[in-house]
Amino acid sequence: MKIFIIIIHIKRALQKIMSFVMKIFLRLVGAKIGKNVYISFSARIVGEKIAIGNDTKILEKVKIKAKEINIGSGVIISSNSMITGKSNLTIGDASYLGKNSRIDLSRDVKLGKDVGFGENSVVWTHGYFPPYDKGFPLTFKSVSICDGAWVSTNIIVLPGVSVGKDVIVGAGSVLTQSVEDGKIVAGNPAKYLKETK
């Protein structure tokens, strides 16, 4: 039992050292990183301008590639999340991204403060399926999820959607249209159910 506890302590110490190395590397390329930030050594963060607030955790195998990356304080980005594209990413303070989150940055994506974004959920800022070259529409639009919104698990958010403050989106929903503040929606496509208060 003592050996097991020692191994756990060694693993935690190594994780802290590797996180320290990651932060040094990011600072050398111009990133602004706050206090008590944890970045897994297996995470990859690439951007022209990077700012990460205090007490933020970026866990294992997270990939973030964007033009500008602005992550607030107290944010948790869970393992295997992928946030990639050529536009800008903003995540407000105390927001949470669940495991296997996917955010496409063909256009800007903004998550407000205290946003919950559940496991296996996806944001698309482009849409061209069925194929554009066969006459179907081509869409590129930004997405925003406002303060206090809870986007549950296995959600798809389509281009141009704005999720209002304190909105709750039921599991497995597909958001094809914007949702006003204080609503609960669910379904495919997501439809209004009731007010949050």
Side-chain angles (χ1 to χ4, degrees), residues 93-96 111-117 145-151:
D93 297 343
S95 287
Y96 171 83
L111 277 59
K113 297 178 182 179
D114 298 308
V115 168
F117 192 77
I145 300 175
C146 296
D147 298 351
W150 172 245
V151 178

Side-chain angles (χ1 to χ4, degrees), residues 19-37 52:
S19 175
F20 180 73
V21 170
M22 285 294 291
K23 290 184 284 187
I24 288 174
F25 172 76
L26 287 170
R27 286 182 177 126
L28 286 173
V29 296
K32 295 179 181 177
I33 299 176
K35 297 177 182 178
N36 300 320
V37 171
I52 301 172

Side-chain angles (χ1 to χ4, degrees), residues 50-61:
I50 301 169
I52 301 172
N54 299 331
D55 304 307
T56 287
K57 294 181 181 179
I58 299 173
L59 302 180
E60 293 76 25
K61 298 180 182 176

Side-chain angles (χ1 to χ4, degrees), residues 22-34 37-39 43-54 56 58 62-72 77 83 85 87-91 105:
M22 285 294 291
K23 290 184 284 187
I24 288 174
F25 172 76
L26 287 170
R27 286 182 177 126
L28 286 173
V29 296
K32 295 179 181 177
I33 299 176
V37 171
Y38 173 80
I39 302 172
R44 296 293 173 259
I45 303 170
V46 178
E48 292 177 17
K49 186 177 178 184
I50 301 169
I52 301 172
N54 299 331
T56 287
I58 299 173
V62 168
K63 181 179 179 183
I64 304 173
K65 183 178 180 183
K67 183 177 180 183
E68 292 187 13
I69 300 166
N70 190 350
I71 300 172
I77 302 177
I83 305 168
S87 294
N88 302 321
L89 170 70
T90 302
I91 301 176
L105 293 174

Side-chain angles (χ1 to χ4, degrees), residues 84-87 104-109 125-126 128 140-141:
T84 58
K86 296 182 179 178
S87 294
D104 162 65
L105 293 174
S106 296
R107 293 294 182 267
D108 294 352
V109 172
T125 58
H126 71 77
Y128 49 85
F140 285 91
K141 292 184 180 176

